[in-house]
Amino acid sequence: MTVRANWNYPTSIRFGAGRIGELAEACLANGIRKPLLVTDAGLANAPITTDALASLRAAGLDAELFADLKPNPVEANLNAGLLAYRDGGHDGVVAFGGGSGLDTGKLIAFMSGQSRPVWDYEDIGDWWTRADPDGIAPIIAVPTTAGTGSEVGRAGVLTDEKTHTKKIIFHPKMMPRVVICDPALTVGMPARITAGTGMDALSHCLEAYCAPGYHPMADGIAVEGMRLVKQALPRVYAQAGDIEARGDMMAAAAMGATAFQKGLGGMHALSHPVGALYDTHHGMTNAVFMPYVLAFNRSAVEERIERLAAYLRLPRQDFTGFLDFVLELRASLGVPHTLEEFGVNGDRAGEIATMAEADPSAGGNPVKFDAAAAGKVFDAAMAGRV
């Protein structure tokens, strides 16, 4: 891939194939000499991880690995990481991997100097002001998937096992100081993970674009992010080594997470409880719900979806044309059409609907998304009624 760039929005981003070679320099430039590299168990022994650790140590950094993470991280994973961070005398975190590694790495850095329980910093009102900003360790983020965009986010998602809910922990200083976006790191992703993470990026852009409120900067980023997904996701799904398309997807992921400061919506409000209760892949869960939430919101978003369809140069440039595009893309990527095909049954439908109403993402939906609305969409996704 020939594209190589340095961006300073929304943080310092070093973009391009081979940029992982700058990891040690980025750590040193931010005062990190004893980094804890945080990733998930599936990546612990992967060559990209062992190579990154070796490069840090070759530069004289006292780097160690922490990888005791579930795909949907829980408080016990965070506490184990904090113990490793403190016992090792670390002075910063390299958050490495997909959403679980990035989020947990950021949360370890955030909590390393705090005295209150992590749930006291949930993204509710001004709860973030309870934190001691001087107790937040520096973070370098290295995404190895192209979906969550957590590398450019100021929050981390953590599952509360007591209530079986995913909660968002927020602080402005949780934003990584440097992000290394190296698309070559994503080449080894299995096709199913490529599809799920790519659809996650699309869901972030789409829900941000549809969220109510005046934020033309977020809208513009979201629209271009969706164009990149449209052109690149089918390519990387079919040909894992397409570095140019991998780069476009990595950019789209960061764009989605930048745009959704405007808001998310029903896809995420439902995906969070389903993921917490059934331990499903977050991006793939969003993909399953996508057409059903889109159809539910039609009355409020039809005009802007028409503009989006025109920008994407779809054969049919109206709401139906865009819905058809979503359905065709899902089918081409092997996304289950119904929740039943996805391994989710209707036994806990009422509980999920109640949890969806309470999810912070519900407030960004363009149509009121209370328990009744969530239940209606859930039932449609069970039956496959778009």
Side-chain angles (χ1 to χ4, degrees):
M1 183 183 185
T2 57
V3 175
R4 188 178 173 91
N6 293 334
W7 301 325
N8 288 295
Y9 182 72
T11 188
S12 175
I13 301 174
R14 305 182 185 192
F15 182 93
R19 301 300 294 267
I20 189 62
E22 301 172 27
L23 178 58
E25 183 273 324
C27 287
L28 289 168
N30 285 277
I32 304 174
R33 296 186 174 275
K34 296 189 70 175
L36 180 66
L37 191 150
V38 178
T39 194
D40 62 81
L43 278 180
N45 296 311
I48 57 174
T49 309
T50 56
D51 288 350
L53 272 173
S55 72
L56 291 170
R57 291 166 179 165
L61 301 183
D62 188 6
E64 298 295 337
L65 176 70
F66 175 76
D68 182 15
L69 302 183
K70 294 178 66 174
N72 289 300
V74 297
E75 186 179 11
N77 300 142
L78 171 61
N79 290 339
L82 283 169
L83 184 63
Y85 184 92
R86 291 164 178 160
D87 285 354
H90 295 286
D91 57 5
V93 168
V94 174
F96 190 96
S100 58
L102 294 170
D103 279 4
T104 309
K106 288 158 58 181
L107 288 170
I108 289 170
F110 170 67
M111 288 297 295
S112 64
Q114 307 306 323
S115 58
R116 302 173 67 141
V118 65
W119 311 119
D120 283 4
Y121 308 110
E122 190 177 353
D123 189 16
I124 297 173
D126 63 354
W127 284 18
W128 65 271
T129 61
R130 297 169 172 176
D132 176 5
D134 295 331
I136 304 173
I139 305 162
I140 309 297
V142 183
T144 64
T145 66
T148 70
S150 181
E151 65 273 12
V152 294
R154 302 170 295 170
V157 177
L158 192 67
T159 297
D160 184 346
E161 290 187 293
K162 295 177 182 176
T163 60
H164 299 289
T165 55
K166 286 190 173 185
K167 295 184 177 179
I168 299 169
I169 311 302
F170 168 83
H171 194 281
K173 287 190 70 175
M174 214 186 299
M175 175 72 77
R177 295 189 183 184
V178 176
V179 178
I180 295 178
C181 282
D182 186 338
L185 299 179
T186 70
V187 168
M189 278 197 298
R192 182 170 175 80
I193 301 300
T194 295
T197 54
M199 289 299 291
D200 197 23
L202 179 61
S203 72
H204 292 158
C205 290
L206 179 57
E207 291 214 289
Y209 178 67
C210 291
Y214 182 71
H215 201 322
M217 291 180 286
D219 288 345
I221 292 168
V223 166
E224 177 61 7
M226 285 185 273
R227 187 190 69 81
L228 291 175
V229 171
K230 175 180 177 286
Q231 76 176 19
L233 184 52
R235 286 170 55 186
V236 294
Y237 185 73
Q239 181 58 51
D242 188 333
I243 294 293
E244 181 180 359
R246 289 284 184 189
D248 284 345
M249 286 306 304
M250 187 162 269
M255 293 164 77
T258 301
F260 75 55
Q261 63 179 271
K262 182 188 174 198
L264 287 169
M267 292 176 216
H268 281 77
L270 282 163
S271 181
H272 286 153
V274 168
L277 293 172
Y278 291 90
D279 207 26
T280 56
H281 183 274
H282 174 68
M284 194 61 79
T285 313
N286 280 330
V288 174
F289 279 118
M290 186 174 292
Y292 307 105
V293 173
L294 186 62
F296 176 80
N297 289 334
R298 180 170 186 163
S299 62
V301 301
E302 187 157 10
E303 183 178 342
R304 64 175 35 234
I305 291 296
E306 288 178 0
R307 295 199 302 270
L308 173 61
Y311 185 77
L312 296 180
R313 297 183 178 179
L314 298 179
R316 179 171 174 174
Q317 296 178 2
D318 58 11
F319 183 91
T320 300
F322 182 77
L323 181 59
D324 287 345
F325 157 70
V326 168
L327 291 169
E328 290 165 9
L329 179 63
R330 287 161 85 247
S332 73
L333 299 173
V335 175
H337 183 58
T338 68
L339 287 173
E340 187 174 12
E341 294 171 34
F342 195 43
V344 175
N345 59 46
D347 294 349
R348 307 180 78 169
E351 182 181 0
I352 288 168
T354 299
M355 294 167 71
E357 179 180 7
D359 191 275
S361 301
N365 202 67
V367 176
K368 184 179 180 181
F369 208 72
D370 56 14
K376 181 179 179 180
V377 174
F378 184 90
D379 289 345
M382 283 296 302
R385 297 190 307 269
V386 179

